[in-house]
């Protein structure tokens, strides 16, 4: 008998086909967003879960699914999963690192350019029929080339963002939980390690790429925004909750900083409507990894993790290897 799995959201049909070769698959190609009760109900009797960042995999949910062996998230971020509770319950958890680094770094740059050079704001002006004459001071923005780029969270995506800055003749400063090796710093456009406060004071543009956890909640709030230059741009491609969105709206209104580029929001998709009243913000709906090849690579990585986990192998992207001891050394 094939193991039973639940795929919580719509995914490429090729992936459903791949999974169906190994599992009895309950899929959701209609792409409903399951609430907690519905997810709990559908998880009954399942051996594996192919999850998405929109699913909250809590201790309660895990307790209600005693047969579950693995949760394979189709995302690099896994703050939607209570990993400690999964470990305690003997459930393997995996994510999809690496395959999205470059695509997500590209979007960070797109938002930085759009916000600093007022691309979306001026497009709205043009689309609104307001463009009647060229003027010397129309939509003056901040230069990106030759400026100082501050990166908070210098993991694989942060380093990919830093490498792109070489072509813009930029200086890179970064802050991270731990300092990179000398080789990694050299490869990341000779990035210089600074404290968060020093970085916020000295950078012309700040990009946030750190993982969300209770420790990184509101890494950027009113006090941190006050340290930034009034000409600075803030880009968040990490997770909602890393920035205090109400404080950011206030700072953008008052001119504490010049502009922001945001792909993620607190309580998304129900983001703070205050952003819509601002011109100096470029907004995208959590599309950091959204290129077809990258989303396909993420889906296929999640599927491979699930196939490995169910077949007795250690999944390539296991986040909680301690679970193996808990499972008596058996996957
Ligand atoms: C998307 O946000 C991800 O974590 O992969």
């Amino acid at each position: 008998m094939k193991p039973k799995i639940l795929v919580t959201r719509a995914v490429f049909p090729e992936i459903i086909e791949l999974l169906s070769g190994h599992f009895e698959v309950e899929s959701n190609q209609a792409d409903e967003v399951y609430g907690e009760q519905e997810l709990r109900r559908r998880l009954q009797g399942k051996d594996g879960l192919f999850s998405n960042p929109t699913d909250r995999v809590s201790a309660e949910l895990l307790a209600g699914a005693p047969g579950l062996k693995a949760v394979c998230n189709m995302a690099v971020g896994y703050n939607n999963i209570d990993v400690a509770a999964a470990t305690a319950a003997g459930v393997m958890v995996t994510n999809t690192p690496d395959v999205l680094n470059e695509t997500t770094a590209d979007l960070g740059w797109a938002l930085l350019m759009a916000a600093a050079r007022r691309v979306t704001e001026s497009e709205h002006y043009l689309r609104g029929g307001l463009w009647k004459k060229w003027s010397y001071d129309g939509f003056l923005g901040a230069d990106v080339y030759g400026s100082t780029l501050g990166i908070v969270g210098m993991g694989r995506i942060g380093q990919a963002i830093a490498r792109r800055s070489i072509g813009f003749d930029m200086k890179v400063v970064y802050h991270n939980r731990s300092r990179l090796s000398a080789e990694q710093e050299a490869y990341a456009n000779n990035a210089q390690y600074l404290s968060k406060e020093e970085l916020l004071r000295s950078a012309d543009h700040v990009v946030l790429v750190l993982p969300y956890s209770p420790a990184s909640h509101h890494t950027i709030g009113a006090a941190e925004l006050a340290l930034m230059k009034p000409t600075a741009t803030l880009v968040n491609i990490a997770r909602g909750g890393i920035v205090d969105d109400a404080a950011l709206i206030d700072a953008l209104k008052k001119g504490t900083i010049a502009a922001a580029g945001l792909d993620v929001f607190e309580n998304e998709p129900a983001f703070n409507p205050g952003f819509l009243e601002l011109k100096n913000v470029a907004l995208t709906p959590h599309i950091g990894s959204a290129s077809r090849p990258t989303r396909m690579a993420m889906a296929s990585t999640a599927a491979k993790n699930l196939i490995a986990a169910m077949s007795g192998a250690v999944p390539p992207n296991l986040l909680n290897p301690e679970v193996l001891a808990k499972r008596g050394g058996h996957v």
Side-chain angles (χ1 to χ4, degrees):
M1 220 172 62
K2 285 179 179 174
K4 292 188 171 73
I5 66 155
L6 174 67
V7 182
T8 61
R9 296 289 306 276
V11 70
F12 300 103
E14 298 93 311
I15 299 298
I16 297 290
E17 207 174 293
L18 167 68
L19 292 168
S20 301
H22 298 262
F23 308 120
E24 199 177 300
V25 180
E26 180 176 331
S27 60
N28 176 16
Q29 294 302 79
D31 208 26
E32 290 162 39
V33 180
Y34 300 148
E36 209 149 326
Q37 291 305 320
E38 184 68 2
L39 195 53
R40 177 187 276 257
R41 193 180 67 73
R42 290 183 182 267
L43 212 47
Q44 294 306 305
K46 299 296 189 302
D47 304 290
L49 177 65
F50 184 110
S51 62
N52 283 269
T54 49
D55 307 313
R56 193 168 155 258
V57 181
S58 62
E60 296 72 40
L61 187 81
L62 291 162
L68 199 65
K69 293 184 190 64
V71 175
C72 298
N73 211 34
M74 190 185 135
V76 65
Y78 50 89
N79 57 300
N80 57 310
I81 302 169
D82 187 335
V83 180
T87 307
V91 176
M92 291 174 270
V93 180
T94 67
N95 68 339
T96 64
D98 295 323
V99 293
L100 45 58
N101 295 347
E102 303 300 330
T103 299
T104 308
D106 283 350
L107 189 84
W109 270 89
L111 284 172
L112 168 56
M113 301 292 287
R117 294 299 308 275
R118 305 174 68 175
V119 173
T120 50
E121 181 187 353
S122 57
E123 183 183 352
H124 278 114
Y125 172 86
L126 178 152
R127 285 179 185 269
L130 300 169
W131 188 25
K132 303 294 180 207
K133 59 181 176 27
W134 179 90
S135 50
Y136 80 96
D137 60 352
F139 296 101
L140 301 181
D143 276 324
V144 175
Y145 87 93
S147 66
T148 297
L149 176 62
I151 302 175
V152 183
M154 197 60 148
R156 291 162 288 212
I157 300 171
Q159 291 171 48
I161 290 171
R163 286 199 305 277
R164 282 160 174 71
S165 71
I166 295 170
F168 285 77
D169 281 333
M170 291 169 94
K171 175 179 169 184
V172 175
V173 294
Y174 76 97
H175 181 70
N176 198 43
R177 266 175 308 184
S178 49
R179 192 170 166 174
L180 301 186
S181 68
E183 292 79 44
Q184 286 172 316
E185 287 184 350
Y187 190 48
N189 192 12
N190 296 312
Q192 184 193 349
Y193 183 80
L194 293 181
S195 70
K196 183 175 87 175
E197 290 70 25
E198 287 172 316
L199 179 148
L200 294 172
R201 279 194 197 96
S202 59
D204 296 302
H205 306 288
V206 175
V207 182
L208 305 171
V209 215
L210 64 169
Y212 181 83
S213 71
S216 63
H217 184 73
H218 287 186
T219 292
I220 302 293
E224 289 75 20
L225 290 160
L227 297 177
M228 293 175 67
K229 299 182 184 183
T231 48
T233 307
L234 179 72
V235 174
N236 186 8
I237 53 165
R239 274 290 182 275
I242 287 183
V243 174
D244 177 344
D245 284 350
L248 177 58
I249 289 169
D250 194 45
L252 289 165
K253 264 188 196 152
K254 288 182 179 149
T256 311
I257 66 169
L262 306 172
D263 187 47
V264 287
F265 305 86
E266 288 187 288
N267 306 316
E268 63 182 60
F271 61 92
N272 190 320
F275 283 122
L276 298 180
E277 289 159 26
L278 298 172
K279 289 186 175 159
N280 51 348
V281 64
L283 307 167
T284 49
H286 203 148
I287 59 165
S289 60
S291 75
R292 189 180 170 84
T294 292
R295 283 282 165 85
M296 183 58 97
M298 290 165 69
S300 125
T301 300
K304 283 180 192 152
N305 277 315
L306 199 47
I307 292 165
M310 292 294 142
S311 67
V314 177
N317 307 113
L318 185 62
L319 289 164
N320 55 345
E322 324 81 85
V323 80
L324 299 179
K326 177 99 194 161
R327 299 177 64 87
H330 300 291
V331 177

